[in-house]
Amino acid sequence: MKELVIISGKGGTGKTSLTAAFAALAKNAVFADCDVDAADLHLILAPQIKDRHDFFSGREAIVRPADCTGCGQCQQHCRFEAIQADNNGTYRIDPAGCEGCGVCVHFCPANAIDFPERHCGQWFVSDSRFGPMVHARLGIAAENSGKLVSVVRQEAKKRAEKQQADWLLVDGPPGIGCPVIASITGADAVLVVTEPTLSGKHDFHRVLDLAKHFKIPVFLCLNKWDINPEMTERIETLGTNQGARPLGRIPYDKAVTAAQIAGQCVVECGHGPAATEIRNIWKKLCQTMP
């Protein structure tokens, strides 16, 4: 089994559209959406949820009003200003502001603060029209997305191994932070999708450095390359000099937007310029990662 993670230095470069297209082209694959902060692969693959699991990470403090004496010790020691006084003389904790450090629990003389695990979201095992998919939804203001990414990836690997899949295709998060690190560590290769702009060049350089740090082979794909051919050349030259292998250039094509509106990936909607190039890129990947 080969694990390929599609990433980008920023959001909106087209990595989810490319992942969905690869899902349609792969014959025996499992898919994982590791962009848990803003998951959207499901919008194209339309998965049918089979299993649903709660995700807990860290803890949150909760005041029991009946036991609170109103001494204010918790508020005095909270450095995150997450504790406010109620009109009845007791105190309450804002769950969005609580960092789960437990200081208020330690200093409460009445032991009136509970400290349960924090429910941060859910992860799902689903069937899509192209194969099994593991994805997740992080709760509002919830943290530890890197940990949830690891859960999604591990579960996707289990199912890929169980069905003896040829590919594990991972739609990674944007940027270079903790969720990206959790997505790419130990992968066979990453495919960086970027656009021919100055910010795209800068973001590609950052994510390239990250992949090199973890010694992961890097492929490069330029999306909407024809809006700035000169910058496309500069980015490909940068990638080649840094050990990344350019796989192709996807032209600007309104068919991509039309496919998204229809809830499909572009390779399902014909043989336009973008779909044709994506098929060529997939063919090169299959030849390069036998």
Side-chain angles (χ1 to χ4, degrees):
M1 180 188 69
K2 301 171 285 291
E3 183 180 8
L4 176 70
V5 186
I6 296 88
I7 57 176
S8 60
K10 61 179 284 294
T13 62
K15 61 181 179 54
T16 298
S17 297
L18 192 60
T19 304
F22 288 168
L25 296 171
K27 301 302 181 183
N28 180 23
V30 173
F31 319 111
D33 189 349
C34 287
D35 188 4
V36 299
D37 292 276
D40 57 3
L41 185 60
H42 64 279
L43 298 176
I44 304 178
L45 298 193
Q48 300 297 312
I49 296 175
K50 293 171 54 182
D51 299 311
R52 188 186 305 261
H53 305 269
D54 289 323
F55 171 66
F56 294 89
S57 181
R59 294 181 178 273
E60 62 178 328
I62 303 173
V63 176
R64 299 191 305 275
D67 297 324
C68 179
T69 62
C71 68
Q73 287 289 315
C74 57
Q75 187 183 50
Q76 293 176 25
H77 287 91
C78 180
R79 62 185 299 179
F80 302 105
E81 300 181 352
I83 303 176
Q84 295 88 33
D86 276 334
N87 294 331
N88 58 6
T90 61
Y91 287 82
R92 61 180 178 83
I93 299 173
D94 177 8
C98 178
E99 293 289 331
C101 65
V103 168
C104 58
V105 179
H106 177 78
F107 282 101
C108 178
N111 293 320
I113 304 178
D114 295 326
F115 201 42
E117 282 190 304
R118 186 191 297 265
H119 182 262
C120 292
Q122 292 182 313
W123 60 273
F124 316 97
V125 180
S126 302
D127 283 331
S128 75
R129 63 186 181 278
F130 302 128
M133 175 177 172
V134 184
H135 50 121
R137 180 185 298 119
L138 194 67
I140 297 173
E143 296 184 358
N144 286 317
S145 57
K147 185 176 179 181
L148 182 54
V149 165
S150 296
V151 171
V152 169
R153 236 182 116 201
Q154 289 168 7
E155 293 299 323
K157 279 185 177 181
K158 289 179 184 178
R159 278 151 181 80
E161 292 169 355
K162 184 177 181 180
Q163 78 170 46
Q164 296 183 324
D166 296 325
W167 290 89
L168 173 55
L169 299 176
V170 179
D171 184 12
I176 59 170
C178 179
V180 181
I181 294 172
S183 296
I184 70 173
T185 305
D188 294 310
V190 298
L191 173 58
V192 182
V193 184
T194 190
E195 295 174 326
T197 63
L198 188 59
S199 63
K201 179 175 180 289
H202 173 264
D203 294 330
F204 168 62
H205 196 287
R206 295 169 71 216
V207 78
L208 179 60
D209 285 345
L210 179 68
K212 287 175 59 180
H213 174 78
F214 288 101
K215 296 179 173 62
I216 302 173
V218 178
F219 298 105
L220 170 63
C221 169
L222 267 296
N223 192 21
K224 304 175 186 175
W225 74 271
D226 46 348
I227 66 174
N228 192 337
E230 180 183 354
M231 182 58 71
T232 294
E233 294 284 352
R234 291 169 62 184
I235 293 175
E236 286 183 340
T237 299
L238 169 64
T240 301
N241 291 340
Q242 296 294 323
R245 177 173 176 176
L247 286 182
R249 301 173 174 182
I250 302 173
Y252 177 78
D253 189 349
K254 292 183 178 180
V256 177
T257 303
Q260 291 175 335
I261 294 173
Q264 295 181 314
C265 56
V266 66
V267 297
E268 293 180 277
C269 298
H271 294 269
T276 299
E277 183 61 19
I278 290 172
R279 288 188 177 94
N280 291 335
I281 291 171
W282 176 251
K283 183 178 179 179
K284 291 178 182 178
L285 275 171
C286 293
Q287 294 171 345
T288 307
M289 298 177 64

